[in-house]
Amino acid sequence: KIVRSECKEKETALNEYDDNIASGHGSYLLNQGSAEDVFVLNVGNLPASTECIVVITYMTTLTTDGDAFKFDVPITKVRIANDPTDPIILPSTSTTSTTTTTQSIYGLSLNLKIEMTSAITGIQCDSHQVISTIKNDHSAELTLLPDQ
């Protein structure tokens, strides 16, 4: 099943998310956190043993660092509800939501497709292990490797 999202005013989106959860339906909410470059994703009422893949398209202006362009991705591992027999408290998304007690596992995959008008001469990641491929002078791909 593919669910496509639409942008809504924050308060409207929070209310719809809470209403869907309260009605027992699945619901998904991506909202901007306290900083401009922080996003919080809530996935609610996902049935047990169900996989949820979220694809986010994000476009930004690159900063420069000497002769290089710099793209910062602040990564925080995400909580994924798994087994209710091993409790951890997941915070609610708004004042009307209730907290849920579940075990969590962590997962994140990141694939970047890079397209530039100027030539790409190299790709470097200082914080994580990655595989990068320069496809041609103007495009490249980068994949974050799973934690070892």
Side-chain angles (χ1 to χ4, degrees):
K1 175 178 169 179
I2 296 176
V3 177
R4 299 209 184 270
S5 64
E6 62 181 79
C7 289
K8 295 185 177 182
E9 291 294 325
K10 189 173 191 170
E11 199 62 37
T12 301
L14 285 169
N15 288 336
E16 286 183 20
Y17 177 83
D18 286 342
D19 290 347
N20 286 334
I21 297 302
S23 299
H25 301 291
S27 197
Y28 314 92
L29 177 69
L30 177 67
N31 101 51
Q32 189 172 354
S34 57
E36 185 178 304
D37 62 348
V38 174
F39 297 93
V40 177
L41 174 67
N42 296 288
V43 177
N45 287 347
L46 189 66
S49 302
T50 302
E51 180 178 65
C52 178
I53 298 172
V54 177
V55 177
I56 300 169
T57 301
Y58 178 74
M59 296 177 68
T60 186
T61 303
L62 300 176
T63 58
T64 57
D65 186 5
D67 291 340
F69 289 100
K70 187 175 181 181
F71 177 61
D72 290 319
V73 180
I75 296 174
T76 300
K77 291 185 178 182
V78 295
R79 261 189 197 144
I80 304 170
N82 187 27
D83 180 1
T85 62
D86 190 2
I88 188 170
I89 301 298
L90 300 177
S92 65
T93 58
S94 73
T95 56
T96 59
S97 293
T98 59
T99 57
T100 306
T101 304
T102 61
Q103 176 189 9
S104 63
I105 58 173
Y106 297 95
L108 173 71
S109 64
L110 179 67
N111 299 301
L112 297 176
K113 292 183 181 180
I114 304 160
E115 295 181 10
M116 302 287 295
T117 55
S118 57
I120 298 173
T121 58
I123 298 175
Q124 175 183 328
C125 181
D126 297 330
S127 59
H128 295 80
Q129 290 184 323
V130 296
I131 296 174
S132 62
T133 306
I134 297 176
K135 298 287 190 177
N136 59 49
D137 284 347
H138 302 286
S139 70
E141 293 182 1
L142 179 134
T143 301
L144 177 70
L145 294 176
D147 290 339
Q148 303 300 323

